[in-house]
Amino acid sequence: MQDKFTKILKAISDPTRREIFHALILVTSALPINQIATNFNMTRQGVTKHLKVLENANLVTINSQGRERYCIANAKPLKEVNKWLQFYEQFWDDSLNNLGKYLDES
């Protein structure tokens, strides 16, 4: 079983899923799957598969209202990815600063 972090990375690793997620973030409201699908060159079923991966990572919530299914984005799980990346950003900043000090002393 995948941990939450792995699910998030898997979800955002695909360019189509990133584009779907980004579109949902921009509209800041729930969109029906049919409307999302019209913006992509794939079947509704293809979009639904991508949405399921996003939902599995808790990046999207899908709710049914009558016969229509609506999706809304949830960016909060990305905070975990941001924290992970900040560690490496600090690592490289420190490494480059140390290299700069070393070169200045030489």
Side-chain angles (χ1 to χ4, degrees):
M1 185 168 171
Q2 294 177 341
D3 64 358
K4 290 190 307 185
F5 188 72
T6 302
K7 289 178 183 179
I8 294 166
L9 290 177
K10 178 182 176 185
I12 62 174
S13 68
D14 182 272
T16 301
R17 285 193 289 270
R18 287 194 306 269
E19 195 173 338
I20 291 169
F21 180 74
H22 187 71
L24 288 169
I25 287 289
L26 289 177
V27 297
T28 67
S29 63
L31 287 179
I33 292 177
N34 286 334
Q35 185 176 348
I36 297 167
T38 61
N39 295 315
F40 295 91
N41 190 22
M42 67 178 69
T43 64
R44 183 184 189 279
Q45 290 79 11
V47 170
T48 299
K49 286 181 181 181
H50 285 296
L51 287 167
K52 287 290 184 188
V53 174
L54 291 166
E55 183 182 39
N56 192 37
N58 200 30
L59 292 168
V60 168
T61 302
I62 302 173
N63 295 311
S64 296
Q65 291 181 355
R67 294 173 54 151
E68 191 63 70
R69 298 178 70 212
Y70 289 84
C71 303
I72 191 162
N74 174 25
K76 288 179 185 174
L78 293 178
K79 287 182 180 181
E80 193 171 335
V81 174
N82 189 40
K83 280 192 334 190
W84 185 77
L85 290 171
Q86 284 177 347
F87 170 82
Y88 290 99
E89 182 179 12
Q90 187 63 50
F91 169 79
W92 284 112
D93 286 347
D94 292 345
S95 296
L96 291 173
N97 287 336
N98 290 337
L99 176 62
K101 288 177 188 175
Y102 174 78
L103 293 174
D104 288 342
E105 293 171 359
S106 298

